[in-house]
Amino acid sequence: MDWLTIALLLFFGLAFLVVEVIFIPGTTVVGLVGFGLLAAGIWFSYRDLGTSTGHLLLAASAVFIGALVYVGLRPRNLNRMALTQENHGHVLDARHADVLPGTVGRTLSALRPAGTALFAEARREVTTRGEFVAAGSDVQVVGIEQNRIVVQQIV
């Protein structure tokens, strides 16, 4: 195999490793292809160009890969692809409801047996214990059971 083919194998192997470490980290396929091309280039250089040239290319490749890993794993480069923000969102949990038992509200939809009610300015999904309640009726919170607000119609 001539020196140009070996040089191309080494060049494309190193290029694929650069792409894997810096541009699209974590894909693994690109890195494995690059490593395979690099290994093939070094093996062919030992076989066809001699031991001293093989040692030289192996050492140069090792130094280049070491520098590449050092640059790729610097904190500034890692922060571009790492999740650094915290999620401070929350979900309204009916078990810790702001609508307490005894609170009076008005239904916005018919409760058959579940629907929507308005308590002060808060819209909440509510349910009855089986009875149907028309829209616009006054209801009172009877309790919180598991994750449901249970209401009954005020007569």
Side-chain angles (χ1 to χ4, degrees), residues 91-107:
V91 176
L92 181 62
D93 190 358
R95 290 172 292 190
H96 306 289
D98 54 346
V99 180
L100 301 173
T103 306
V104 176
R106 180 174 294 276
T107 59

Side-chain angles (χ1 to χ4, degrees), residues 55-117:
H55 285 325
L56 180 66
L57 291 176
L58 177 63
S61 296
V63 166
F64 184 80
I65 290 172
L68 177 66
V69 168
Y70 173 75
V71 168
L73 295 180
R74 289 172 57 192
R76 186 186 73 204
N77 293 336
L78 285 177
N79 284 339
R80 288 189 311 171
M81 62 191 136
L83 295 175
T84 57
Q85 298 175 344
E86 293 181 25
N87 184 358
H88 295 291
H90 66 281
V91 176
L92 181 62
D93 190 358
R95 290 172 292 190
H96 306 289
D98 54 346
V99 180
L100 301 173
T103 306
V104 176
R106 180 174 294 276
T107 59
L108 297 175
S109 66
L111 306 182
R112 299 186 182 126
T116 307

